[in-house]
Amino acid sequence: MCEREESKYEKIKNIVESKLIDRVDKGYVELSEEAFGKAYSSDVARRMFYGAKRVIDAIEEDKKNNIEDEEELAKLEQKEIELKKERIRLTDIRTKLNRTLRASARRENNLEYLKDSINKLNELKPLVVYKSVAKNGNIGVLNFSDFHLGIEVNNYFNKYNQDIAIKRIEELISKTILYCNMNNVTKLHLIVNGDVINGFKHMSLIVNADLSVAESITKSSEIISNMIFELCKNINSVDLHFATGNHAMMNSNKECLERDNFEYLVFDFIKLRTSKCGNLTIHENKYSDDIADIRIGNKLIIATHGNKDNPRTCSEKLLTFLDERPSYIMLGHYHHYEEYDQNNINVKVNGSIVSTDEYAFGKRFNSKPYQILVIHDEDGEEICTYKIKLPVDK
């Protein structure tokens, strides 16, 4: 073959093999135009591709038979191996990209549905708070984590279902407002710090479910939105932060994307539902969706759910991981209170709303339901910490 013919042959060969071996997404009609200069019908193009593949195989076999130098043959085979590796790598990249695009499209579709539903809900039951005048005072940080709405618990230490969850939230709201008023809190940072719903990532979660995942998403979102509304009515200014947890992941597969998490729908719902609260500020995370950053004076508070962090080592790891030094770290996930001072960093582990569930009971763990409210002065120095105890049904 002359050089021009060789170039055309290689082009046809690459297009045919990419379709029949690598299974690219393009159709036969489009590829036939690229390979043969004309868009044939799907059936004709498909037969042409299989016919061309047989000719290509024969030519390649003939090439190999004509190569007498074993060293040149080895080089050619190595080149083919590298080309196959590259095709596999590109196929993997294409697969991951398509998966990401599908997840993004699903979220956008769900969000459009949510917008219509929430707009109707906002007309029926508006959550309106007018913007407040800025005031100087102390600053509160409420670590709200491990709501686990959707699970039903019935053991010696604890009962939990949707009605009990609402009762505990009402108690949390009233005590938060009380302690904020007692301490002249004019701004409250509310951290929605993961595991808002119980999800179904494990079979045991499905067995103990009180609500479906869809019901858990809508009901938890409305409950938290109403909690924010009540806090906004009673506290001069409220700042809202989100950090994703692990229980709302769509499945337990390690290959599951971080974005495959139902909590994104919860967060989207809350943002839309509370859009008329004039004294509410919603923050975007600087580092990632599972790491919230709160700044008071010159102090940095890092809030993350805790499934990726050990309470006793997180200060050292986050200190080297982040590009700035936190003064405080707030975790959830572990369902019981702990506090450490490490490397001049204060670590606080939150309790839970759900309290002792069947998993904890089986592991011989028992802890009351409570959440942590920390009061800071304007410079970010801690004044006090409240463990807000919530009612227990037995």
Side-chain angles (χ1 to χ4, degrees):
M1 295 182 186
C2 69
E3 185 176 342
R4 184 177 177 184
E5 289 174 336
E6 181 73 9
S7 175
K8 186 175 181 180
Y9 166 76
E10 288 296 331
K11 176 186 175 183
I12 294 173
K13 176 175 178 287
N14 288 335
I15 294 172
V16 169
E17 288 185 346
S18 68
K19 179 63 177 174
L20 300 182
I21 297 176
D22 299 336
R23 305 294 184 185
V24 297
D25 295 334
K26 288 185 178 180
Y28 284 104
V29 176
E30 183 180 357
L31 287 173
S32 68
E33 186 171 13
E34 293 180 14
F36 308 115
K38 181 180 177 181
Y40 294 92
S41 68
S42 180
D43 288 341
V44 171
R46 181 173 54 81
R47 289 195 294 271
M48 289 176 69
F49 267 63
Y50 279 97
K53 180 65 169 62
R54 287 193 292 272
V55 173
I56 290 167
D57 290 343
I59 292 172
E60 295 300 317
E61 185 65 24
D62 187 61
K63 280 185 180 181
K64 289 183 180 180
N65 291 337
N66 290 333
I67 296 175
E68 296 179 354
D69 190 336
E70 291 184 1
E71 184 177 345
E72 289 298 320
L73 179 60
K75 288 181 181 178
L76 179 60
E77 288 176 344
Q78 183 61 36
K79 185 178 179 181
E80 287 184 351
I81 290 171
E82 294 302 323
L83 284 171
K84 287 180 180 178
K85 285 182 180 178
E86 184 65 16
R87 283 190 186 128
I88 292 170
R89 188 182 72 84
L90 291 173
T91 300
D92 289 344
I93 291 173
R94 191 185 302 115
T95 300
K96 289 180 181 179
L97 176 61
N98 287 338
R99 189 188 306 159
T100 303
L101 291 173
R102 282 195 297 271
S104 176
R106 280 198 301 269
R107 187 184 175 205
E108 288 174 4
N109 289 337
N110 289 331
L111 185 56
E112 286 302 316
Y113 173 76
L114 275 179
K115 284 180 180 178
D116 292 338
S117 301
I118 295 169
N119 286 336
K120 293 176 182 177
L121 188 58
N122 282 336
E123 291 176 5
L124 293 172
K125 186 183 176 184
L127 304 180
V128 180
V129 179
Y130 296 104
K131 188 173 180 64
S132 304
V133 178
K135 292 182 180 179
N136 294 326
N138 291 324
I139 298 161
V141 179
L142 179 61
N143 190 8
F144 178 84
S145 72
D146 302 283
F147 191 20
H148 288 275
L149 191 71
I151 194 174
E152 183 171 16
V153 178
N154 188 355
N155 58 49
Y156 175 78
F157 298 106
N158 183 38
K159 286 185 173 61
Y160 191 72
N161 53 40
Q162 180 186 345
D163 293 334
I164 294 171
I166 292 172
K167 187 192 304 183
R168 290 180 184 177
I169 294 296
E170 289 172 348
E171 183 80 0
L172 177 63
I173 294 168
S174 64
K175 286 186 175 178
T176 298
I177 294 169
L178 172 65
Y179 297 143
C180 284
N181 289 337
M182 286 171 54
N183 288 276
N184 188 32
V185 170
T186 56
K187 174 179 280 192
L188 175 69
H189 290 274
L190 171 62
I191 309 160
V192 181
N193 199 2
D195 285 2
V196 170
I197 67 170
N198 205 51
F200 61 5
K201 63 181 297 219
H202 301 302
M203 181 56 68
S204 61
L205 303 181
I206 300 174
V207 172
N208 294 314
D210 179 40
L211 301 170
S212 69
V213 171
E215 289 174 318
S216 299
I217 290 169
T218 55
K219 291 182 184 297
S220 65
S221 302
E222 181 65 3
I223 290 169
I224 296 171
S225 296
N226 278 280
M227 177 177 73
I228 294 168
F229 175 58
E230 291 300 322
L231 294 173
C232 285
K233 285 197 301 183
N234 290 276
I235 298 171
N236 188 258
S237 175
V238 178
D239 284 30
L240 181 59
H241 309 262
F242 296 105
T244 54
N246 63 311
H247 258 260
M249 296 299 288
M250 293 181 182
N251 59 64
S252 59
N253 188 345
K254 291 183 179 180
E255 293 297 320
C256 184
L257 298 172
E258 290 285 338
R259 301 288 296 179
D260 289 336
N261 190 320
F262 288 118
E263 280 184 337
Y264 285 105
L265 285 176
V266 175
F267 299 164
D268 287 334
F269 186 115
I270 293 170
K271 290 174 185 177
L272 292 168
R273 189 71 173 99
T274 58
S275 61
K276 299 297 184 182
C277 293
N279 61 340
L280 176 68
T281 302
I282 300 175
H283 292 265
E284 296 293 329
N285 297 348
K286 173 180 176 180
Y287 294 104
S288 72
D289 292 337
D290 66 334
I291 302 176
D293 52 294
I294 300 96
R295 297 162 202 280
I296 303 175
N298 63 352
K299 305 290 186 184
L300 169 64
I301 302 171
I302 289 296
T304 185
H305 181 62
N307 56 298
K308 299 178 181 178
D309 300 283
N310 184 313
R312 294 183 182 273
T313 61
C314 66
S315 66
E316 181 180 351
K317 285 193 173 182
L318 287 171
L319 184 59
T320 55
F321 177 66
L322 304 176
D323 62 1
E324 54 187 324
R325 181 187 184 88
S327 297
Y328 304 93
I329 298 172
M330 304 190 77
L331 305 177
H333 185 65
Y334 293 96
H335 291 209
H336 66 275
Y337 181 77
E338 292 183 78
E339 184 171 358
Y340 307 97
D341 282 310
Q342 306 168 343
N343 305 314
N344 203 27
I345 300 172
N346 181 257
V347 180
K348 285 183 169 64
V349 184
N350 202 16
S352 70
I353 305 289
V354 65
S355 184
T356 305
D357 58 15
E358 302 309 325
Y359 173 82
F361 190 92
K363 293 289 185 179
R364 303 295 187 261
F365 298 142
N366 177 26
S367 180
K368 304 296 184 186
Y370 53 83
Q371 300 281 268
I372 296 173
L373 171 66
V374 186
I375 309 298
H376 298 262
D377 64 21
E378 289 181 294
D379 296 323
E381 294 291 342
E382 181 182 338
I383 297 173
C384 62
T385 297
Y386 290 95
K387 284 174 60 180
I388 300 179
K389 296 179 182 180
L390 306 175
V392 179
D393 293 78
K394 292 177 62 176

